Amino acid sequence: RRLQHERSEEVLAGWLAIYSCDAGSGDKEASDAAALPSREAAKALATWEETHLVTALKGAGQAGQAGGSSASTVSTAWALRKEDDRAYFAYLAKHPEVFAEQLRQRDRWREGLPQVLMVAEKPSVAKMVAEFLCPERERLRERRGVADPCRIFEFPAVFPPTGKRSVICVTSVIGHIFELQFDGELPKNVEQIYEAPVVKQFTDSARKVRVAEHLQELAKRSDQLCLWLDADREGENIGFEVVAVCKEWFPDNQNIHRAIFSALTKEEVRSSFQSLGRPDANVARGVDTRQELDLRVGISFSRLLNGSLKKKIQKQPPKAVGPGFRQSITYGPCQTPALGFCVARQNEID
């Protein structure tokens, strides 16, 4: 952070010196002789930091608080935080116990309060929901979790289903957590595609950013789960994917709630928060069925299309067919009708 803001050559030389001293190995005398210039640079950095810290302490009116009780050192750290970041971090390096006390003070507001985990469909929605629901007199806190893109927003508020003041913890997923795939090798015969077993696996995006671990880490400390997914079939299905990931801590629907909202406005979100319902498993199963049909129909029809395409290529070389002609084609219950609309529109334009 210092290098980013100040680009100081002294800081850079000092940090490199410290790392080179720590990495010394082999013959002790030879390494000590080689590390001597580095140690001098590191010592110069420490002296430079100490001088800057003393100056900052005087500027913040904390000159006499360099030592002393735990309370005085913590107050000194907060004072430096407001005045000078470089001096603040130098002070924490000298007093590591202060940082631990700061962490305890930071989380003191949540002591004794139950936690409600609220999950939205994407990070931007989570942020808006948190901003709309956070009471005006309370502070909205933001922090990182296991999944870096899915930020966590926290604030204290009364949770309507329980009527208790709770820590409202709002985060998100990034779309579907699971996808449907064939279990094992894909059958060679088209008829067998409709009988082959299928399983749900983590999507590439969910696996990459560790969405499941992110939700499980938050669910461990939560007493209630509230789903803020889109008010459609896909949103209901993603909601039950969240429930499946957190099943260990929410084995039944007793502590699981569903928010239904049709617009991202403060009035709509707050109204939905006051009238939470329950998720509908039948709607989610309907999406599971549609996904399985999409997978089986898509692969079987793609094979049939590719077979007919090969016959066409044998009769007519690709050059005669036209530029950009591909020797493979795929079918999808969504993508193919959409492509048909595009072709029909282009024909109208032509």
Side-chain angles (χ1 to χ4, degrees):
R1 186 168 183 175
R2 298 179 216 172
L3 291 174
Q4 180 181 359
H5 288 283
E6 299 183 9
R7 303 184 182 277
S8 169
E9 294 183 2
E10 292 87 348
V11 174
L12 178 58
W15 277 115
L16 291 176
I18 292 173
Y19 282 118
S20 64
C21 289
D22 293 340
S25 60
D27 182 67
K28 186 176 186 303
E29 293 183 2
S31 62
D32 287 346
L36 184 58
S38 297
R39 293 186 185 280
E40 291 178 354
K43 185 177 179 180
L45 172 64
T47 303
W48 182 58
E49 292 284 2
E50 184 69 24
T51 303
H52 180 80
L53 176 58
V54 171
T55 304
L57 285 170
K58 291 180 179 179
Q62 303 287 332
Q65 301 293 333
S69 64
S70 174
S72 64
T73 53
V74 172
S75 62
T76 301
W78 287 126
L80 288 175
R81 179 70 174 183
K82 297 178 181 179
E83 299 294 333
D84 191 314
D85 277 348
R86 195 175 83 203
Y88 169 71
F89 290 113
Y91 189 79
L92 291 184
K94 293 172 67 65
H95 302 278
E97 72 283 354
V98 173
F99 184 61
E101 179 61 27
Q102 285 182 326
L103 291 179
R104 285 192 291 269
Q105 289 184 2
R106 187 185 66 180
D107 293 335
R108 192 166 294 168
W109 66 276
R110 63 167 64 242
E111 290 182 358
L113 297 180
Q115 179 168 294
V116 178
L117 175 59
M118 302 172 62
V119 184
E121 192 160 325
K122 49 188 176 181
S124 59
V125 176
K127 183 178 181 180
M128 294 183 69
V129 168
E131 290 175 347
F132 291 155
L133 294 181
C134 181
E136 295 181 359
R137 294 184 179 181
E138 300 292 350
R139 175 186 169 190
L140 178 61
R141 296 167 173 85
E142 179 181 353
R143 63 182 177 93
R144 297 173 184 265
V146 176
D148 187 65
C150 306
R151 298 300 175 90
I152 303 169
F153 303 91
E154 296 176 316
F155 57 91
V158 175
F159 187 56
T162 62
K164 297 180 180 179
R165 182 176 172 84
S166 309
V167 175
I168 307 297
C169 176
V170 187
T171 188
S172 71
V173 293
I174 45 176
H176 278 283
I177 304 175
F178 298 102
E179 61 182 359
L180 209 60
Q181 295 291 345
F182 285 102
D183 188 11
E185 295 184 0
L186 191 64
K188 295 182 178 180
N189 297 329
V190 175
E191 297 84 358
Q192 295 176 345
I193 291 177
Y194 291 89
E195 300 176 356
V198 293
V199 294
K200 280 197 170 188
Q201 301 175 349
F202 286 113
T203 63
D204 291 339
S205 58
R207 185 184 300 108
K208 182 178 180 181
V209 302
R210 303 175 63 197
V211 171
E213 293 88 340
H214 175 78
L215 295 176
Q216 290 169 351
E217 184 65 26
L218 295 173
K220 292 177 183 178
R221 303 190 298 269
S222 300
D223 304 283
Q224 306 284 334
L225 175 62
C226 186
L227 305 173
W228 284 80
L229 292 308
D230 291 351
D232 54 19
R233 291 178 177 269
E234 292 296 327
E236 203 74 19
N237 187 260
I238 298 174
F240 274 90
E241 291 179 355
V242 173
V243 172
V245 168
C246 304
K247 193 71 175 178
E248 180 179 350
W249 300 275
F250 299 97
D252 52 46
N253 284 351
Q254 182 178 357
N255 295 338
I256 301 177
H257 310 271
R258 176 72 159 104
I260 303 297
F261 58 102
S262 56
L264 275 174
T265 62
K266 182 181 290 188
E267 294 76 15
E268 184 78 12
V269 170
R270 288 187 172 181
S271 175
S272 178
F273 187 56
Q274 296 297 327
S275 56
L276 296 173
R278 299 288 183 179
D280 191 339
N282 292 327
V283 175
R285 293 192 192 100
V287 176
D288 289 337
T289 303
R290 193 266 306 159
Q291 290 177 345
E292 185 173 345
L293 285 173
D294 284 355
L295 179 64
R296 299 184 187 277
V297 173
I299 291 181
S300 59
F301 271 52
S302 296
R303 285 190 176 181
L304 295 174
L305 285 173
N306 282 313
S308 63
L309 185 63
K310 290 180 180 178
K311 295 179 181 178
K312 187 173 183 179
I313 291 177
Q314 293 174 357
K315 295 180 181 179
Q316 197 172 18
K319 290 184 179 180
V321 176
F325 185 78
R326 299 180 58 188
Q327 298 189 15
S328 65
I329 189 171
T330 60
Y331 171 85
C334 293
Q335 71 179 39
T336 302
L339 178 61
F341 294 142
C342 296
V343 172
R345 178 57 180 160
Q346 187 61 45
N347 290 336
E348 292 178 4
I349 295 174
D350 295 343

